[in-house]
Amino acid sequence: MERRPMDSRPSWDEYFMDFAVLTAKRSTCLRRQVGAVIVQDRHVIATGYNGAPRGLEHCAERGGCLREQLGVPSGERHELCRALHAEQNAIIQAATLGHSIEGAAIYITHQPCVICAKMIINAGIERIVVKEGYPDELSVQILREAGLKIVMLGEKE
């Protein structure tokens, strides 16, 4: 087996973001596939992707996305969506499994919306790493007010 150079190893942020990207592939959302991974002490605690609540039909099974049909812009009117967000599902999974996530990091394929930002704050997550932005400035403001910064993958902290 050929060995690769040590400097080609992914950073911890890249490594855990790869998990988030893989997790997003399970998403049932027709608009945007999002994955989230909660990490504590370099160990994966929980994962989540966006999709309908457990046991309920997904939008594809119901004839399409209601927000899309109504022409709702991205980042608005989340209450019309059937799905839970990836961050919500990851936080719920940690709780269901009995894992505290106080002080953890969360790796998300996309910047959290304001609803998820508030959940992240109250869950005690201390570090947020994202791969892509999302059009929700209120989310950024609330996280900043809570002393949390969104780190774009590859950006210096």
Side-chain angles (χ1 to χ4, degrees):
M1 176 178 5
E2 187 176 326
R3 293 175 82 52
R4 60 186 168 87
M6 289 298 282
D7 61 353
S8 69
R9 291 176 72 197
S11 68
W12 285 110
D13 283 350
E14 292 166 334
Y15 177 73
F16 290 121
M17 187 58 74
D18 284 348
F19 275 89
V21 169
L22 178 62
T23 302
K25 292 180 180 185
R26 290 282 307 152
S27 170
T28 59
C29 183
L30 300 173
R31 276 186 129 178
R32 182 184 321 257
Q33 288 68 52
V34 180
V37 176
I38 298 175
V39 175
Q40 210 164 36
D41 299 322
R42 295 187 179 159
H43 294 281
V44 174
I45 301 300
T47 64
Y49 53 87
N50 53 335
R54 189 181 348 193
L56 299 185
E57 289 182 325
H58 303 290
C59 293
E61 298 167 323
R62 296 182 60 86
C65 172
L66 177 61
R67 291 175 71 232
E68 192 74 33
Q69 292 165 1
L70 296 173
V72 176
S74 186
E76 297 178 17
R77 304 291 315 271
H78 297 289
E79 74 279 4
L80 295 176
C81 182
R82 259 184 102 62
L84 283 102
H85 289 186
E87 305 92 320
Q88 295 167 348
N89 276 323
I91 290 168
I92 291 166
Q93 184 182 79
T96 301
L97 296 173
H99 290 288
S100 170
I101 52 176
E102 188 83 32
I106 188 166
Y107 292 82
I108 319 165
T109 56
H110 297 76
Q111 173 195 310
C113 72
V114 68
I115 296 166
C116 291
K118 292 183 280 188
M119 291 181 71
I120 287 167
I121 293 164
N122 276 4
I125 292 172
E126 293 182 353
R127 186 163 185 266
I128 304 165
V129 180
V130 302
K131 186 173 181 171
E132 295 180 35
Y134 185 72
D136 192 335
E137 188 55 37
L138 183 56
S139 167
V140 176
Q141 291 171 9
I142 285 177
L143 289 166
R144 189 178 304 127
E145 186 178 336
L148 292 170
K149 177 182 182 260
I150 296 172
V151 177
M152 291 296 282
L153 185 64
E155 175 184 276
K156 299 287 184 204
E157 285 185 67

